[in-house]
Amino acid sequence: MWMELASFFEKQKEQFGDNAILLFWYGKALLKLGNANKAAPILAKSFKLAKECELDDIGYIEEARDEALASATQLENELIKPNTVNRRNFEVCLDAFTRFLQSDKRMTFWNFDKTERKHKWIKQPEQHAQNLLHTFIKGYFEEQIDVFEEVNTGAGRIDIFLKFSNNLSIIVELKMCGSGYSMSYAEGGLDQLSHYLSNKHTSLGYLIVFDARTRDFGKGLLDILAIERHTIFTRAVDVRPTVK
């Protein structure tokens, strides 16, 4: 009933004016309906009003706002991107990257072999993935983040090491899976991440698997893994060259 809810709160807004909670539900409904462009400024205003009114526990408004901003394709000039640096906002960024890559950059990982009549990975697909993710994260957070690639830890090299302006650190490991890259190869990223996290005294890591398995996409990957004091989240990105 999101359509009815959006219509109801639109009329409430016209009658009673802007209110943090009213705007939240109006924007939330629009977001659920897939209209992130319209929802983003409404939710941004809801969050701003909630802060000005010193409302308690407004994280849910901030989360909806960040999701809308990450999904919107057109924003008002005066609308500022979310500037709160935390895990939740970083994951909003990863969600946006996943959508972008799957819709716009999926086929940049493949060459078509006319002789064998099938798609094959480009040379160094992990380096290509690393370049795309580096550029996306830096563009999203801009001056709030320093992105370091191929950092030497003594027993391997970190794919991407992120240092935010509030001293939050995150390590990202990228792995391919499918079309010659085994599941065990992708899972090996967990052990690597655990070592890197210990070496850099960082507690938060992400394993991003660029999954090309035709029938088993996403299968066998743990969403979250706790190793000692480290927390590792795993995400699968769909890079299958053909999807039935």
Side-chain angles (χ1 to χ4, degrees), residues 126-144:
E126 286 181 356
Q127 183 62 56
H128 180 53
Q130 185 174 314
N131 292 339
L132 287 173
L133 183 57
H134 179 151
T135 302
F136 195 94
I137 292 175
K138 186 62 179 178
Y140 188 90
F141 289 104
E142 298 177 340
E143 72 280 356
Q144 298 179 92

Side-chain angles (χ1 to χ4, degrees), residues 108-111 120-129 131 176 181:
T108 63
F109 285 87
W110 302 99
N111 289 322
K120 293 185 177 181
W121 292 107
I122 61 173
K123 291 183 179 180
Q124 298 182 317
E126 286 181 356
Q127 183 62 56
H128 180 53
N131 292 339
M176 303 292 117
Y181 289 94

Side-chain angles (χ1 to χ4, degrees), residues 119-235:
H119 288 90
K120 293 185 177 181
W121 292 107
I122 61 173
K123 291 183 179 180
Q124 298 182 317
E126 286 181 356
Q127 183 62 56
H128 180 53
Q130 185 174 314
N131 292 339
L132 287 173
L133 183 57
H134 179 151
T135 302
F136 195 94
I137 292 175
K138 186 62 179 178
Y140 188 90
F141 289 104
E142 298 177 340
E143 72 280 356
Q144 298 179 92
I145 189 173
D146 288 318
V147 183
F148 304 95
E149 294 183 288
E150 299 296 330
V151 178
N152 196 335
T153 65
R157 290 182 176 273
I158 297 171
D159 283 344
I160 298 180
F161 182 44
L162 307 174
K163 290 283 290 184
F164 290 88
S165 57
N166 65 348
N167 293 321
L168 173 67
S169 298
I170 298 175
I171 294 176
V172 180
E173 181 71 15
L174 310 176
K175 291 293 182 184
M176 303 292 117
C177 187
S179 293
Y181 289 94
S182 67
M183 180 62 185
S184 59
Y185 171 77
E187 289 178 324
L190 295 172
D191 290 334
Q192 287 178 268
L193 265 174
S194 180
H195 167 76
Y196 299 154
L197 290 168
S198 295
N199 186 278
K200 302 300 291 184
H201 305 290
T202 302
S203 60
L204 185 58
Y206 285 82
L207 173 63
I208 301 181
V209 178
F210 293 77
D211 198 343
R213 292 176 293 171
T214 303
R215 290 178 296 180
D216 296 329
F217 170 77
K219 290 185 178 179
L221 298 174
L222 296 174
D223 292 332
I224 182 172
L225 178 66
I227 304 177
E228 297 179 351
R229 63 181 184 85
H230 308 140
T231 303
I232 298 174
F233 294 91
T234 303
R235 285 171 168 256

Side-chain angles (χ1 to χ4, degrees), residues 9-63:
F9 279 108
E10 184 176 27
K11 293 176 181 177
Q12 294 291 302
K13 180 179 180 298
E14 292 173 356
Q15 183 175 355
F16 298 107
D18 292 341
N19 170 280
I21 304 303
L22 188 156
L23 289 176
F24 165 75
W25 283 109
Y26 181 31
K28 180 76 171 181
L30 291 171
L31 187 59
K32 288 290 186 179
L33 292 169
N35 194 345
N37 289 344
K38 189 173 180 179
I42 292 170
L43 289 167
K45 191 167 189 178
S46 169
F47 183 72
K48 180 180 178 182
L49 291 174
K51 288 185 67 177
E52 290 175 353
C53 296
E54 298 183 347
L55 297 182
D56 294 330
D57 191 18
I58 59 174
Y60 65 97
I61 301 178
E62 181 184 14
E63 184 175 2

